[in-house]
Amino acid sequence: MPEQTMRERIRAVVRGEKPDLVPFVQYDGNAAPNEEIWSVVGRQNMGILRWTRLHKIEHPGCRVHTAPLQYQGKRGLQTTIETPRGIMTEERYYEPTYGTAWIKEHFVKDLEDY
């Protein structure tokens, strides 16, 4: 049997099958930008895992708006949800160095927001 590619190894694991070798994988851009990782370990030695929704989320009678933000030099996103009962907003900022995000303002602020 020929050696599997990294993609074939990842697919085998996701399908519950046995790969020829354990795949070495990072979430898309998580530890470092993909190109930077590949330049160190080689593209054939590092797989990238990207998640995709297989469903559609619907919010009848509601609208969701997003707008870019900046806070202390960090890139962020303000999400506003308009519902028949009122408007809720969230502010989320991204830390590209660590591949994480933090929420400065949550959608739920008071008991009545639940």
Side-chain angles (χ1 to χ4, degrees), residues 15 23 26 29 31 46 48-49 69 72-73 77 89 104 112 114:
R15 292 176 177 157
Q26 81 160 2
M46 170 63 85
I48 302 300
L49 184 59
L69 294 172
Q72 295 181 348
L77 194 64
T89 58
K104 182 174 183 251
E112 57 223 20
Y114 279 98

Side-chain angles (χ1 to χ4, degrees), residues 15 19 23 29 47 52-53 63 75 92 95:
R15 292 176 177 157
T52 303
R53 290 186 181 153
R63 293 189 322 195
R75 181 177 59 86
R92 180 181 300 256
E95 181 59 64

Side-chain angles (χ1 to χ4, degrees), residues 88-112:
M88 298 167 41
T89 58
E90 175 189 79
E91 287 186 19
R92 180 181 300 256
Y93 294 90
Y94 301 95
E95 181 59 64
T97 306
Y98 304 108
T100 59
W102 54 278
I103 298 174
K104 182 174 183 251
E105 178 184 324
H106 290 269
F107 284 118
V108 177
K109 298 170 189 68
D110 299 311
L111 188 59
E112 57 223 20

Side-chain angles (χ1 to χ4, degrees), residues 24-53:
F24 187 46
V25 179
Q26 81 160 2
Y27 288 112
D28 189 16
N30 193 31
N34 300 339
E35 296 298 329
E36 190 175 317
I37 292 286
W38 287 329
S39 72
V40 174
V41 300
R43 192 176 185 110
Q44 72 282 0
N45 296 319
M46 170 63 85
I48 302 300
L49 184 59
R50 291 186 181 121
W51 289 104
T52 303
R53 290 186 181 153

